[in-house]
Amino acid sequence: MKDREVSSGLARRHPPVTPGGKGRFGDFDVLGQVSRWDLVTAGVVLARLDTDPQLSFFTAEEEPTVRALTDLLLGQHDEPRVPVVEMLDKRLLAGETDGWRYEDMPEDSDAWRRSLAALDDEARALHGERFSDLPPERQARIVQGVQDADEWHGFSAGHLWSLWTRYACSAFYSHPWTWNEIGFGGPAYPRGYKNMGVDRREGWERPEVDARDPVPWAERREEALRAHEERQDASPSEERDR
Amino acid sequence: MSRLSDADVRARNASAWLLPSGDERTNHRLRADMRRYDESDEVDVVVVGCGAGGGTLMQRLARTGASVVGLDAGPFWDPDADWVSDEAGSHRLYWTEPRVISGSDPVPLGSNNSGRGVGGSMIHYAGYTPRFHPSDFHTFSLDGVGADWPIAYQDLKPYYQAIEQELPVSGQSWPWGDPHDYPYSPQPLGGNGQMFVRGAHALGVTTKVGPVAIANGRFGNRPHCIYRGFCLQGCKVNAKASPLITHIPDALAHGAEIRPNCMVNRVVVDGRRRAIGVTYITGGVEHFQAARLVVVSGYSIETPRLLLLSGSKEFPDGLCNDHGQVGHYLMVQGAPQVAGRFDAEVRMYKAPPPEVSSEEFYETDPTKPYKRGFALQTVSPLPITYSEHVSAQGHWGEALREYMRDYNHWAVTGALCEFLPRYENAVTLAAETDRNGLPVANFSYSMCDNDRALEDAAQHTQEEILKAAGATETIAVKRYAHLVGGCRMAADATQGVVDADQRSFAVPNLYLVDGSVLPTQGSANPALTIMALAARCAERLAASRNQGAPAATRAGGGL
Ligand SMILES: Cc1cc2nc3c(=O)[nH]c(=O)nc-3n(C[C@H](O)[C@H](O)[C@H](O)COP(=O)(O)OP(=O)(O)OC[C@H]3O[C@@H](n4cnc5c(N)ncnc54)[C@H](O)[C@@H]3O)c2cc1C
Ligand code: SF4
């Protein structure tokens, strides 16, 4: 399929981009393989590097709320960020649903609007401010409250949680920067794989070289869970101040 | 069995030789030269839905010389131009028209369940093609649960063999159910398959590589698999079988017509309860295709929906619904999925997700508190699907990110549990309508106690296997897979919608050949069984045609 391949061109950057500059695979850059992808796939994937920043679905009022929410859900606290909000905006505008909804939920686009408004209502009721103006700990506690609830602002909380995380995760993990972060090989046609099996790599795949290695998985996991909790524990003094 | 020579398969079904042999995947000439019927022509057969069942039946009937038109709601796919080697970009393969889900255990649809377009859901199925076990056809007699089919395993066996040769299927010799061999040798294993085998063997659980509808080698003009792992996104290589490449090309070569992007909205029946054709919407305009025989094959949700939408004076509650059977006894397999963490790199995205199976736990075990059983298979989710697995643990934010950064160290297996058919699990029409103004399907699903016990056992067994392979942590998620039933085959009209020949009890020239006719589901992936049933149905239709009764006087629905 030689004639259908594209040259790697401008997509690569050095060092390779990962969301928030976090990753475990050093100089592994999935975009270094673009010349080995078929043209149709390359077109679809590279378009994600050039998402239109103009929002059309989310209103100016909703924008800061949805940014704060998706940053929290995906742990995107630093630049460069995967433009998840822009990706959701396009998707909701196109009405690209998963092809089903829970009987007790509104249409997806409606559910997004109403739940963003509910986040602001809740933030105002608890702290007198918009959701996006709250310190991250307070935002996180509200979000955790949704995950823990059965019912939340008229929603079945589990069904709303499913909607939020499905949209957020499928946008985030479709982006080549996250593939760099997790060491995923990305599109594989027409190249394919030659070295399959436990502990086997292609020449262009990379082992992990995270600075914290050799921290075992169990410790990394505990650390991440701790960091996650800490985001929700405002210090007592801060609570008193407010 | 029985590797037939390629020449023997080709003489029966030349599809793999009708595809181009170079870098292109579609024979555009064959499609351009396709025979086209006029709407005013009364064709012998109109088929609604060109997926597993419909695609197979069309090929068989076209070969008998019948005039056949297949209508499909989705596109006539070209793997080169339409499909991508990418998870999110494959969204258009799924049926994403609106559907509502309800019940105490609602079943998410979309990517996890049904496809659209020529080739049906097999475009994005994983590719496992096991047979049902003989016991699956008599679960009520044997175990007092489920239902007995009006046919037995032996009735289907020759069609299983024929389809296994045509796909073709590769795998190790099969010790379970009715033991048999496969036409092609097993595929090499990736990291995920190796971990599953390692753990199972440490516990004394037998595993077998396959059975998968991916030839180990070239087949006709279809190239070898390149182990790129995107089977659930449509195979751009033409290595994984689907009717688009295994049956439709041969159907076209024998004069069948495929009309893509045609959404059938009604099966039209005359005052004497005979079908006279179908109406369909394409480009926003309604058309009518007259036919002597109507075959519906739209998947377990759209088939009952279409029958319910086709009510008339004769059928006030929906077509073929005199006994309240349409849409009921819909089944879904419980598919608990377990991920295990290994210090070694697994990189499960390399190799096809369908690699290894075990049917050790398939049959009823009298020492267990539940009836029937489950099968185990490798699944190998790509990042988006795997992030759903992680987020189902409740992880979000930093924890989600850290688990995902560890993606390359995890192996994932899945089970298929035989959940039991229940009348209340059903498709009905919702108040909401689609863009054509037609009421959408509401699929209500609730599990029973036997289902829950099976699901727990299947999850526990997978955790044990992954730990035995050396996993230091396991995380599990409860999911579903494979919808079948909804218009089941039965011995009489009060128990189901179609008879043993898949002819509807109510309308003698209306047949159903998709997965909706299954009375039980076993713990096997259903596509091979759906295709085998469709091949059998076609052969019986053709035989009734050869008996030579003139069409108008035939009591039955023969051609
Ligand atoms: C992610 C996933 C993985 C799977 N993995 C496996 C596996 O490994 N092994 C296996 O055996 N099975 C697997 N399956 C299931 C398998 O693909 C289906 O069971 C099988 O394809 C169903 O066949 P069918 O004939 O009932 O319907 P389909 O193959 O879905 O065909 C139905 C066709 O009808 C068309 N249609 C529907 N309504 C209309 C209408 N009103 N008018 C016109 N056309 C219409 C649709 O567009 C579609 O093309 C998997 C499914 C999914 C989603
Ligand atoms: S792994 Fe093989 S069968 Fe699966 S999509 Fe890739 S080439 Fe096709």
Side-chain angles (χ1 to χ4, degrees), chain B residues 214 224-231 234-237 239-240 351-353:
Chain B
I214 308 170
H224 199 292
C225 168
I226 60 171
Y227 305 109
R228 62 183 196 115
F230 282 89
C231 303
C235 181
K236 279 182 85 71
V237 178
K240 184 193 75 172

Side-chain angles (χ1 to χ4, degrees), chain B residues 354-371:
Chain B
E355 295 192 275
V356 185
S357 324
S358 176
E359 292 181 355
E360 287 277 279
F361 309 96
Y362 195 108
E363 300 284 342
T364 296
D365 175 348
T367 68
K368 301 286 192 221
Y370 49 78
K371 302 287 191 208

Side-chain angles (χ1 to χ4, degrees), chain A residues 152-168:
Chain A
W152 186 80
H153 289 256
F155 287 101
S156 150
H159 294 173
L160 176 61
W161 188 259
S162 150
L163 179 84
W164 282 352
T165 52
R166 264 185 289 130
Y167 273 73

Side-chain angles (χ1 to χ4, degrees), chain B residues 109-447:
Chain B
L109 300 171
S111 65
N112 191 39
N113 271 299
S114 60
R116 58 188 267 282
V118 179
S121 306
M122 284 180 74
I123 296 301
H124 70 289
Y125 80 145
Y128 278 115
T129 42
R131 297 183 189 178
F132 277 24
H133 286 198
S135 67
D136 291 326
F137 297 78
H138 318 283
T139 63
F140 189 73
S141 304
L142 290 174
D143 293 317
V145 295
D148 289 347
W149 296 42
I151 61 172
Y153 172 83
Q154 289 301 330
D155 294 312
L156 214 49
K157 181 171 177 168
Y159 305 95
Y160 273 138
Q161 289 172 328
I163 300 288
E164 282 166 356
Q165 288 156 349
E166 289 166 55
L167 293 177
V169 180
S170 61
Q172 290 180 302
S173 287
W174 212 245
W176 298 289
D178 175 29
H180 56 278
D181 295 326
Y182 286 110
Y184 273 76
S185 58
Q187 303 279 356
L189 295 186
N192 204 23
Q194 290 176 349
M195 286 304 188
F196 179 54
V197 169
R198 184 184 295 178
H201 291 191
L203 294 180
V205 172
T206 303
T207 61
K208 292 292 163 190
V209 180
V212 294
I214 308 170
N216 192 4
R218 280 186 75 86
F219 180 68
N221 293 335
R222 286 166 51 194
H224 199 292
C225 168
I226 60 171
Y227 305 109
R228 62 183 196 115
F230 282 89
C231 303
L232 279 77
Q233 284 68 37
C235 181
K236 279 182 85 71
V237 178
N238 274 358
K240 184 193 75 172
S242 83
L244 182 72
I245 56 172
T246 61
H247 289 81
I248 298 295
D250 194 65
L252 295 191
H254 287 86
E257 178 187 351
I258 299 270
R259 267 178 233 161
N261 305 308
C262 294
M263 174 75 186
V264 175
N265 58 343
R266 170 174 284 272
V267 176
V268 185
V269 177
D270 68 12
R272 294 174 304 137
R273 292 191 156 216
R274 288 190 66 90
I276 56 169
V278 300
T279 57
Y280 61 95
I281 301 172
T282 187
V285 179
E286 190 177 274
H287 299 253
F288 174 71
Q289 176 64 56
R292 282 181 274 281
L293 196 90
V294 174
V295 177
V296 179
S297 181
Y299 194 78
S300 280
I301 298 204
E302 293 306 315
T303 291
R305 177 183 176 217
L306 179 60
L307 296 183
L308 294 173
L309 288 172
S310 301
S312 63
K313 209 155 76 237
E314 281 74 31
F315 293 100
D317 300 320
L319 192 56
C320 303
N321 202 21
D322 300 332
H323 299 277
Q325 294 287 314
V326 171
H328 293 275
Y329 298 105
L330 207 66
M331 291 165 276
V332 64
Q333 285 166 336
Q337 184 173 294
V338 181
R341 206 275 170 183
F342 295 88
D343 287 338
E345 283 189 358
V346 179
R347 296 197 187 248
M348 61 183 162
Y349 57 85
K350 294 158 71 163
E355 295 192 275
V356 185
S357 324
S358 176
E359 292 181 355
E360 287 277 279
F361 309 96
Y362 195 108
E363 300 284 342
T364 296
D365 175 348
T367 68
K368 301 286 192 221
Y370 49 78
K371 302 287 191 208
R372 306 305 296 161
F374 54 87
L376 302 176
Q377 299 175 333
T378 54
V379 289
S380 308
L382 292 174
I384 294 177
T385 322
Y386 188 59
S387 73
E388 285 169 14
H389 188 120
V390 171
S391 94
Q393 313 301 310
H395 297 312
W396 55 280
E398 279 75 13
L400 168 73
R401 289 283 290 280
E402 193 60 48
Y403 267 94
M404 288 302 293
R405 254 173 239 135
D406 205 48
Y407 176 64
N408 284 339
H409 289 280
W410 293 75
V412 183
T413 62
L416 298 175
C417 304
E418 180 176 348
F419 285 1
L420 298 173
R422 307 174 71 212
Y423 182 81
E424 57 267 47
N425 290 335
V427 161
T428 53
L429 297 179
E432 179 182 339
T433 54
D434 67 11
R435 50 189 288 279
N436 293 316
L438 305 170
V440 307
N442 182 331
F443 172 30
S444 173
Y445 193 79
S446 305
M447 287 163 62

